Amino acid sequence: MQDSAAIEELPPEEESNDIVNDLEITSEAKDVNKRLLARPVVHLGDYVEIFQNGQYSGVVVGQRKASGGRQVLTVLLRNGKTKEFNSTTVAFIVPRFLQEDVRLSNFRFDPLAESMPDNYPIPAFSRRVFDYQRTIQLRKGLGLKGLSKVYDHFIQQAKSTTDTVTVSIDDLAKVAYATAAPTSEQRHATFLYLIDDNIHYTPATDMSRTQQWTLRSVDAAEELSQIIESIRQRSSQYTKFLKIAKGVLDSYNSHADPVMGTVSPTSKLILDETRNVGFEPMYRKYINFIADWVKTPRTGIHSPHEVFAPTILKGLGAYDNLFIDRLVAIQFLKQVGMLKPWDNITLFQNAAAADDFFWSDKATKMDDTMQHHANIYLEGKLDQSDFYARDPCDAIRHDFGDMPVYTIDDSAAKEIDDGISIERIPGQDAAWIHIHIADPSAYIPPTHELAMVMQQRGQTLYLPERHYPILPTELSSNKFSLGSTAQTNSDGSQYALTFSARLDHQGDLHEWKVRPSLVKNIQKMYYNDVDAYLEPHAASTIPSEPLVDFSKKFAHPTSIPESPTASVNSTVTSESEQDLLDIFKLTQHHSKFRFQSGALNFVRASPYVDLDPQPLDIPSLRFTKAEYPSTLPLIRVGLENSSASPAKRMVAEAMILGGRVASHYAQEHNVVIPHRTQTWPENATSSDIALRQQMLDDRNPQTGTIGLANVIPYMKLLPPASITSSVGLPHVLMGIPNGYVKATSPLRRYLDIVTHWQLKAHMLKQSAPFTKETLDSLLPRLETQEKRLSFLQQDSLQFWVMEMMRRLIADSHGEDMEWTCIVNVPNQSSRSELGGTMETARVTILELGLKARVQKLNRTLQMGEVVKVRMVRLDQFHRHVDLELV
């Protein structure tokens, strides 16, 4: 068995093997540019401000689509020359720039086309750009008096001198130009002023989409000014810091392992003493200044750190690098003891997504709120909180008596929020399958402070280091879970919300029920044990993928761990075997219905990461004291085997079935709940429709599976999934024709408990707590939050896989190891470290599920081709893994 301490904080298996989640991630995240959600589209004739190795501006005369929702833009500059840019570098857009110029009204073009007509008037366009730039600079100069007062006007909204304020560029321009409706030119002039004053202003996350800017706090702006002036003047304090820091670096280089970064216990005492004595508070601000550079989002718009942090690092005289970049800064922060050698630096780059969970005052306040109410609940003082004093559904709960309820999970899982039962119908060859879901809504009203925390966070965040729940752990993992730790009634029963289904001969829903319930006979089982029993009966249902080997596992610094096996004393009893087999057959019957309805299934190389110790501290945001580790945390890496596990597939299918039942009940009774949908585009080309049919024809008729090498060309067809209050819509990749809801994880997803509240209100003949208008206003933010957290979790997994590879290479294990890759994107031009171009291909390392690129290609690679490679370079900060063909 796996060490329970090492997997305690991993996502529950029914979440990590969720077929819905897997397909949605696949369709949303086809490449590393998945972060470009809802980026504004640039059209021909638009004026753009671009930040890419400098600042450029001009009019768009060409645009073509690229992967990940990007565009490649051809921009005509004021000098009459054109230059290509990635749309991700666009910071400001003036729409319809050419169309609004009456002097060019005789020139016609299609703004949605890929390029201007061949005869477009370059001199006239360039002159228009030149004249406009002069106008904007004049507008900025005339507005300077008002622009200089904007910071003082808005920073007054801050609660203290340490708080920031975020404001839209529209509101900034309104104040600067004393108008209720700023013109496009006034907005543009305001933008140019903001990028010049980078002491007081910094672009908010995803500024190009939101057009929001953050005003630094009064204290931060003042300290920033002082640091910059200190560096410019080479003050005595600054030069003293350089001297102390150089001594610390020399001491580090003498005592620490040059690659792993660990030190012996004796050296640790020496280094800790040197650093903590040397870095007094007056000097720590320089370290935090460098840390702020690492944490600053890469918007292309320069911050003061871009110039002055490299100046500090160069002043140390400790680095021979030709370019002082953020990688050197990270190295410095590890050497001075702010960062540990293994710290997950991708968290810095995703700090905005994690703002509700850590590193912020609001995250701390939410944690305090959760702990406060957990203490009240555990002490039985419900009158001091707004918990339900009595279960609202007490009079309508269905009692399942002693019917066995099977909860199937990993041995270390804590949040047990689902169980499954089977109820055979006497005299018929049919049965009800009951999906029992933990019922926190029996205790928490939708207006409770805990509900507000759940709404803000959206869902539990699972990182390899630790997990950040949306409910207090004492409640979600104990009192509200199904099982031995749960809150029980006097007869030993527990609250649940049960979704029940009968299937027809085709495997579709025939009858359904949703009932608040009481369950008592809960039997806890482990996936490995259920797999051991089901595997002889499930051989024909398990997708086959010869390219993915689940048996391969890697670890550092210990030897490779053994694969988990069934426990010595199996949790599967002889009395439960027939129930489990019948439940498996029912879920497979439903699965076949979905495949016949167009569901797509394939086996992905998707990594899991176990860390020990667990939980593991995440990086510190500010430097307070130096710390040096003597030992490394254990990393275990393997491939998530949910597609090959009968037990996991059974549970996942049961959860899908429960979601369909929730949707059908809501449609039948006009209950507004958040549905999940995924539809084929209405404007698909004939070639795309033909390719779609070819994809469906390529599936295995038994499992709905397409081989991994064959599925890659179809990835471009997969539509994005979305959340909506509209009913009856299909989810095409799941093969669900008429409505699907996620309702089976209320302990870790806010929208699931929203569904519970809405359904219960109807059963109790009460008004729904959420109107359609309220739900529609909530869904966009929660959907974006859900995707951002999903991407953050994926990035963190990739980081730790790379960290394990870094260690193997350092131990001389990895440099000569050969890896098997599948080509996702064939030969293309990529930017090299020195700014040039090189031919590369994007691949996935099949043993690790790690995204990478093959460089120095000497032949053309084909999409779906399998190649052997060796590792050349790892860059964890930029998430680059460079390979070369063997």
Side-chain angles (χ1 to χ4, degrees), residues 758-773:
Q758 296 288 91
L759 295 175
K760 283 184 173 183
H762 173 265
M763 297 173 199
L764 294 169
K765 298 180 172 54
Q766 298 173 352
S767 298
F770 299 89
T771 64
K772 185 179 190 307
E773 292 72 23

Side-chain angles (χ1 to χ4, degrees), residues 404 406 422 424 575-584:
Y406 304 107
I422 185 168
R424 297 170 184 84
E575 293 80 8
S576 65
E577 288 180 349
Q578 189 60 50
D579 280 357
L580 292 174
L581 184 57
D582 289 346
I583 292 171
F584 178 77

Side-chain angles (χ1 to χ4, degrees), residues 584-634:
F584 178 77
K585 289 178 179 178
L586 282 172
T587 57
Q588 285 305 301
H589 195 35
H590 183 253
S591 180
K592 286 182 179 179
F593 162 77
R594 292 194 302 105
F595 295 150
Q596 292 166 0
S597 302
L600 175 65
N601 190 17
F602 61 95
V603 179
R604 284 200 306 154
S606 181
Y608 71 80
V609 173
D610 293 342
L611 301 178
D612 192 4
Q614 180 69 238
L616 193 66
D617 288 338
I618 61 172
S620 172
L621 202 59
R622 307 294 290 172
F623 179 80
T624 54
K625 66 175 183 176
E627 293 184 10
Y628 258 139
S630 296
T631 58
L632 295 169
L634 167 66

Side-chain angles (χ1 to χ4, degrees), residues 304-362:
H305 307 84
E306 301 288 344
V307 174
F308 293 100
T311 300
I312 297 173
L313 295 170
K314 289 177 183 176
L316 293 170
Y319 304 104
D320 297 327
N321 303 59
L322 181 61
F323 301 109
I324 300 294
D325 58 11
R326 300 188 193 206
L327 288 176
V328 177
I330 292 168
Q331 181 183 349
F332 169 80
L333 296 175
K334 291 179 179 180
Q335 290 171 325
V336 298
M338 175 179 170
L339 296 181
K340 295 179 285 296
W342 56 80
D343 271 340
N344 182 356
I345 51 181
T346 63
L347 296 178
F348 289 149
Q349 299 156 301
N350 290 286
D355 194 47
D356 292 319
F357 298 89
F358 50 81
W359 286 345
S360 69
D361 290 339
K362 66 177 178 179

Side-chain angles (χ1 to χ4, degrees), residues 679-686 689 692 719 729:
T679 59
W680 296 116
E682 294 180 358
N683 59 348
T685 64
S686 57
I689 294 174
R692 182 196 310 167
L729 297 176

